Amino acid sequence: MTFARRSTLLVMTVLALAAPAGAQDGRAVPQSNAEMQLSFAPLVKQTAGAVVNVYAERLVERRSIFDGDPFFEEFFGQRMPNRTEKQSSLGSGVIVGANGIVVTNNHVIEGADDIKVALADGREFASKVILKDDRVDLAVLKIDSDGTFETVPLGDSDAVEVGDLVLAIGNPFGVGQTVTSGIVSALARNQVKAGDFGFFIQTDASINPGNSGGGLINMKGELIGINTAIFSRGGGSNGVGFAIPANLVKVFVASAEGGSTTFDRPFVGATFDAVTSDVAEALGLHRARGALVSKVLPGSPAEKAGLKPGQVVTAVNGIAVEHPDALGYRLATVGIGGEAKLAVSDGGKEEELTIALDRAPESTPRDERLIEGRNPFAGAVVANLSPRLAEELRMPAGSTGVVVTDINRGSPAARIGLRPRDVVIELNGTSVASTEILETLVAENPAIWRVEIERDGQRIRQFFR
């Protein structure tokens, strides 16, 4: 065999090996220097007009250091005045509806009294919040205009793969609209930030403060994520950024356009734990992945579906579940009123269960009351727990009893250390099963108060005179 023939066969072999890298789904490895010099400019022109700047302003009251001090109030003969000042924040957003529907992060607009949206062409509009949720860190705004706007279509974030090229568009540090490129570094990331959402797309496209709420765009010009967080020690980009997947954004936007004032997550009626390597070995699983069922509430959708403690949910609608956060995300993207097919491992046997998804029920009326009078609970707002209220307060689904929902500042309840989400178990030896019982007990005004509460799963006993 000649050298030329061997060289030709070598080139053909390399090309044959390279082609399957993405030939089946349209992706391909660059084959020449010319392909390496292709530009993102057409893609930027197609999408950048729908990425906006979001300006949020809020009035903040600065309390006087003498506020509430009886001596100074008596000395000056009036309450010490507080000072009000204006604070502003800057973030980004993406127009997903031609009628002016904008998606951004909740933390960009949280507490804002005035929100303005600035388009890439320089136009500015007032806007209002039509839905927000701090747990998923998303907010939907409506531009105050009857005009038609450029949009970015929502893509399928489940089709995203590690290694895909992406663009991040936003307004970092307030310098103006900026485009950065990178790849998808990882999927299904959890434990990224505080809150109960744990399913992020990770990218090395540069994301900095001000990029929050901006778009993560794929090579088809589709929105596959809302940029929301970075890992950084100095406040700048270290190539580890995170975006909320577009499939959750779709459900959130649909909820907003449907007139919902809150974003409800499907109620399952079960609690789940992570599958550790020890648990996987004990259950005969090949990998430490999935969501271990730890508790199932009687009469819940989980019980009706046949889910039992000790089982492991490994997939939802055919998509693998790596951890409990991923399970919550998958169920949230199915949405209220839908059905989900759960792949369940039980003692080495595999089965499929179908679970109906609905809102958490308020099976016990919350009967919210403000405790008044001269007693340790005065100033506490209490309510009867139900699955709906437990979900709102981010408490375990099976929580029962009387819970503190709010505390008036400076009240006796605040001074003794009561906190929101504290569950009142007993008062002077009597079980507190309802807000009515609690209000009756505190009205007796005993000389000694023996209180037992539950806080984050721990029992605390206190005595007061």
Side-chain angles (χ1 to χ4, degrees):
M1 183 181 294
T2 66
F3 175 77
R5 180 171 175 76
R6 285 199 303 271
S7 300
T8 301
L9 288 174
L10 178 61
V11 171
M12 292 175 64
T13 301
V14 170
L15 292 176
L17 290 173
Q24 294 180 351
D25 59 3
R27 300 178 177 90
V29 176
Q31 299 294 317
S32 67
N33 185 52
E35 291 184 4
M36 293 291 290
Q37 297 181 29
L38 293 175
S39 173
F40 291 122
L43 186 60
V44 173
K45 292 177 182 178
Q46 175 185 337
T47 58
V51 179
V52 301
N53 298 336
V54 178
Y55 300 93
E57 291 186 344
R58 56 184 63 84
L59 293 177
V60 179
E61 185 178 70
R62 296 295 185 188
R63 295 178 61 84
S64 165
I65 60 174
F66 304 119
D67 185 42
D69 190 302
F71 171 78
F72 281 95
E73 288 183 0
E74 183 177 353
F75 181 79
F76 287 103
Q78 61 181 0
R79 184 179 178 87
M80 295 297 294
N82 297 322
R83 183 165 53 90
T84 300
E85 63 181 40
K86 183 178 291 187
Q87 290 184 346
S88 61
S89 62
L90 171 67
S92 305
V94 183
I95 304 177
V96 296
N99 60 342
I101 295 295
V102 178
V103 179
T104 184
N105 285 138
N106 177 75
H107 73 259
V108 171
I109 55 88
E110 183 63 23
D113 302 301
D114 184 34
I115 302 172
K116 292 183 179 179
V117 170
L119 275 59
D121 60 12
R123 290 180 293 164
E124 287 191 7
F125 297 91
S127 66
K128 63 179 180 179
V129 179
I130 58 176
L131 182 62
K132 63 178 182 177
D133 190 289
D134 64 327
R135 287 172 287 184
V136 295
D137 198 14
L138 286 174
V140 175
L141 313 177
K142 173 65 174 70
I143 295 175
D144 187 11
S145 171
D146 295 328
T148 301
F149 299 89
E150 293 183 47
T151 65
V152 175
L154 287 163
D156 180 8
S157 53
D158 285 341
V160 174
E161 296 183 11
V162 175
D164 283 354
L165 287 169
V166 290
L167 299 181
I169 308 179
N171 186 359
F173 300 111
V175 299
Q177 191 177 82
T178 302
V179 181
T180 56
S181 67
I183 64 169
V184 173
S185 306
L187 300 170
R189 288 298 199 208
N190 65 337
Q191 298 180 350
V192 170
K193 58 188 295 188
D196 66 354
F197 178 74
F199 197 94
F200 291 91
I201 298 172
Q202 182 182 330
T203 179
D204 68 347
S206 294
I207 296 174
N208 289 287
N211 271 112
S212 290
L216 192 67
I217 311 294
N218 66 12
M219 294 298 103
K220 297 178 182 178
E222 299 170 330
L223 181 72
I224 59 168
I226 294 293
N227 301 321
T228 187
I230 60 173
F231 272 160
S232 174
R233 290 186 173 89
S237 174
N238 290 331
V240 185
F242 300 94
I244 299 171
N247 286 3
L248 181 63
V249 176
K250 289 178 186 177
V251 177
F252 195 85
V253 171
S255 182
E257 292 181 327
S260 297
T261 56
T262 59
F263 180 60
D264 293 324
R265 293 150 191 75
F267 173 67
V268 176
T271 55
F272 301 89
D273 293 327
V275 177
T276 64
S277 56
D278 291 338
V279 170
E281 183 178 356
L283 297 178
L285 299 174
H286 299 296
R287 292 179 55 200
R289 68 175 183 87
L292 174 65
V293 182
S294 58
K295 183 179 181 180
V296 176
L297 300 182
S300 65
E303 185 188 57
K304 294 175 182 177
L307 209 58
K308 299 178 179 65
Q311 294 178 329
V312 177
V313 179
T314 58
V316 176
N317 292 338
I319 302 176
V321 167
E322 296 294 329
H323 44 72
D325 286 340
L327 173 62
Y329 166 79
R330 292 297 172 194
L331 295 177
T333 56
V334 173
I336 302 294
E339 286 188 343
K341 295 186 181 300
L342 308 181
V344 176
S345 177
D346 188 356
K349 298 180 181 179
E350 301 291 333
E351 60 178 314
E352 186 176 85
L353 304 176
T354 300
I355 186 169
L357 303 179
D358 204 349
R359 291 177 175 83
E362 192 161 307
S363 50
T364 302
R366 63 183 67 192
D367 190 23
E368 197 168 68
R369 303 185 184 209
L370 170 64
I371 304 299
E372 298 177 309
R374 297 176 62 86
N375 62 77
F377 289 91
V381 180
V382 295
N384 296 321
L385 272 167
S386 65
R388 171 66 64 87
L389 183 55
E391 198 273 338
E392 291 175 11
L393 297 177
R394 308 182 204 181
M395 298 175 68
S399 301
T400 58
V402 174
V403 65
V404 177
T405 59
D406 196 12
I407 299 285
N408 290 342
R409 189 170 63 178
S411 65
R415 288 197 293 271
I416 69 170
L418 279 180
R419 304 177 189 172
R421 298 177 50 178
D422 283 348
V423 179
V424 184
I425 305 298
E426 283 188 3
L427 177 56
N428 290 336
T430 302
S431 178
V432 178
S434 68
T435 56
E436 183 180 6
I437 292 176
L438 177 60
E439 195 167 52
T440 300
L441 291 173
V442 298
E444 295 175 359
N445 197 25
I448 298 177
W449 299 81
R450 300 189 304 276
V451 180
E452 183 175 350
I453 65 172
E454 182 178 303
R455 177 179 295 165
D456 297 330
Q458 294 184 338
R459 294 288 183 100
I460 301 174
R461 294 178 177 85
Q462 293 180 298
F463 296 85
F464 306 100
R465 290 186 180 275

